Amino acid sequence: MSGEGNFLNNGESRTFGPGDVLFVPAGVEHRFQNFSADFATWVIFYGPVGCENAK
């Protein structure tokens, strides 16, 4: 969407910017770091059909 910064994914840091797609497998530590003031993004979660009802 907008902005730039660093993305920590499973201990590895990468720079990101508009147009990048970032993937994180379930259960992996991740976070955005050192991002610009104009940072905005979409976050999409997905998984197998029926998992939304799993307990």
Side-chain angles (χ1 to χ4, degrees):
M1 298 261 315
S2 66
E4 54 190 28
N6 293 353
F7 185 70
L8 184 66
N9 184 349
N10 201 27
E12 182 180 335
S13 183
R14 315 185 73 140
T15 59
F16 69 86
D20 289 344
V21 174
L22 306 168
F23 175 79
V24 180
V28 172
E29 181 181 350
H30 59 283
R31 65 181 164 273
F32 293 98
Q33 300 177 310
N34 307 317
F35 47 87
S36 58
D38 64 338
F39 174 61
T41 190
W42 286 93
V43 178
I44 300 169
F45 298 91
Y46 75 95
V49 174
C51 283
E52 64 276 10
N53 298 320
K55 300 215 186 252

